[in-house]
Amino acid sequence: MIGIPVLRTVVTATVAALLHFSPAQADASFDLSPEQPGRVQATRNEKAIAAIPADFKFVAPGKFTVAVSPGGPPLATYATDARTVVGADPDYAEAIADSLGLTLELVPVAWIDWPLGLTSGKYDAVISNVGVTEQRKEKFDFSSYRQGLHGFFVKADSAITSIGEPKDAAGLRIIVGAGTNQERILLKWSEENVANGRKSIELQYYDDEAASLLALASGRADVIVQPHAQLVFIAARDKNIKRVGTLSAGWPERSDVAITTRKGSGLADALTIATNGLIKDGAYARILERWRLSEEALPRSETNPPGLPKF
C-alpha cells in the first residue's frame, strides 16, 4: 500500500517572510527591472509573415496582442515597478512579435480568464505556460515552444544526486501538490516500485510554498517536486536547494507548452514557423538561457503536437 500522510504545518509570518522573498529581492542574475535592457531581440521572418492567412484580422492593426498571466518568476511576474510584466514568456512573446513584424501588446490576465478572453477575440494569442492537452485541442490550436517539465530539487547538501526513473525515488519522502499531474505520475512510480520489490514513495502535502520549503530545509522531506521553472527561480533566490532531475509533465511521453490561439483561426502555422526561425537563429536558446530554462528547450516547434490525454 502506498503511504500518503497528509501533513499540516503552521508556519509563522516570520518564517514565511524568510522563505518567500518579493521579486525585488530575487537573485541578481534575474533582471526584474521594467526596462529589461537584456531582452533578446529577433528579426523579421518573412516565411512566418507570409503564412498569416490573408483574412486573419489582428485585434489591433500592426500589433500582436498577447495575454499572459503573471503567476511568478521566471515565467511571468510583475517587475520592480509593480506594473510591467517581465519574464521568459513576455520575452518570447516579444520575439514572436518581432518575427511577425508587429509590435507586442501584452495583456496581463488572471489564469482562469484566458480561455474566454481568447475565444471572444480579446487577444490574438496566449503565451502563458499553457500545456497542450487533448481536451484543450478541441477548442484551441497550439504552437509548441517549450517542454512541460517538473523539477526534482533537494537540499544543496543532500546526498541525493540524480532522480530520473522510479527506482531512483524508492523510499524517498517527496513533497508534491495534491491533485497535480506530478502527484499522478509519482503514484504510478510508487506502484511500479512496490511491484518490483522496492520501497514505496512517501508523498507529503503542505499548504503553501513556505511550508514546503521549510519541511525540505528541516529534513522532514527529501525532495520537492514542482513545475521546473518555479524551482529554478527559488534555487537562485535562496541558494539552498539544487536540481537533481526533471520529469516530463506527460511522463513517459514528452508534454509541450505552447502558444495558444483560437481554433481554426489559421494563425498557429505562422507562429510555428516563427518559433522554428527563432530556434534556428539562436534567439530561442538565448531567451531560455537568460531565464535559466535551457533544460526546457524543444528541438523544433510543432502545430498541435500530441497533448496530455484525458484522465
Side-chain angles (χ1 to χ4, degrees):
M1 205 153 158
I2 301 169
I4 314 174
V6 178
L7 306 181
R8 292 290 181 264
T9 303
V10 177
V11 181
T12 65
T14 300
V15 173
L18 289 172
L19 291 175
H20 192 70
F21 303 121
S22 69
Q25 296 170 295
D27 184 84
S29 62
F30 289 98
D31 176 16
L32 300 183
S33 70
E35 296 81 12
Q36 292 294 293
R39 176 169 282 169
V40 176
Q41 300 300 311
T43 57
R44 283 172 61 98
N45 185 324
E46 299 300 336
K47 289 183 178 180
I49 293 170
I52 300 171
D55 60 350
F56 182 84
K57 296 187 182 302
F58 287 94
V59 171
K63 293 184 178 181
F64 184 41
T65 303
V66 175
V68 63
S69 177
L75 295 179
T77 189
Y78 284 104
T80 51
D81 66 355
R83 294 192 308 272
T84 307
V85 182
V86 299
D89 281 342
D91 274 17
Y92 188 72
E94 181 85 40
I96 291 293
D98 290 344
S99 299
L100 299 180
L102 301 170
T103 300
L104 177 65
E105 182 73 23
L106 205 60
V107 182
V109 300
W111 172 263
I112 196 171
D113 292 336
W114 72 256
L116 180 59
L118 183 58
T119 55
S120 64
K122 288 185 178 180
Y123 21 85
D124 303 309
V126 177
I127 300 180
S128 194
N129 201 43
V130 179
V132 182
T133 70
E134 291 303 312
Q135 186 168 6
R136 285 175 179 159
K137 282 165 65 177
E138 294 174 0
K139 295 183 178 181
F140 304 102
D141 286 328
F142 294 95
S143 302
S144 57
Y145 70 99
R146 279 203 339 268
Q147 290 187 63
L149 292 183
H150 304 305
F152 291 105
F153 280 66
V154 299
K155 287 176 61 178
D157 60 357
S158 173
I160 300 169
T161 59
S162 178
I163 299 176
E165 55 184 322
K167 67 178 182 180
D168 299 332
L172 296 182
R173 299 165 298 171
I174 300 181
I175 299 169
V176 69
T180 61
N181 195 47
Q182 55 264 37
E183 179 197 34
R184 177 187 62 80
I185 294 169
L186 289 175
L187 287 171
K188 289 185 176 180
W189 278 29
S190 193
E191 291 170 358
E192 181 177 323
N193 282 334
V194 171
N196 286 279
R198 296 187 290 264
K199 291 182 178 179
S200 65
I201 298 170
E202 179 186 301
L203 300 186
Q204 295 186 2
Y205 303 87
Y206 294 88
D207 291 330
D208 55 38
E209 181 183 281
S212 297
L213 295 175
L214 182 61
L216 189 65
S218 65
R220 294 200 304 275
D222 303 306
V223 185
I224 185 170
V225 177
Q226 281 182 201
H228 175 255
Q230 294 176 5
L231 291 173
V232 165
F233 182 82
I234 292 169
R237 181 193 70 190
D238 298 351
K239 297 179 173 59
N240 60 2
I241 63 173
K242 64 181 180 182
R243 180 179 55 235
V244 293
T246 57
L247 173 68
S248 169
W251 181 89
E253 304 298 330
R254 195 182 78 203
S255 177
D256 293 343
V257 170
I259 307 172
T260 310
T261 50
R262 290 185 295 280
K263 190 74 177 176
S265 70
L267 190 58
D269 284 340
L271 300 178
T272 298
I273 293 170
T275 298
N276 282 321
L278 295 172
I279 292 172
K280 184 177 181 180
D281 71 15
Y284 173 81
R286 292 195 297 275
I287 292 170
L288 292 183
E289 183 179 6
R290 182 172 188 240
W291 297 99
R292 298 193 180 186
L293 297 176
S294 297
E295 288 78 12
E296 300 189 7
L298 287 173
R300 61 185 294 272
S301 175
E302 298 177 67
T303 299
N304 290 326
L308 289 177
K310 297 178 183 179
F311 295 108

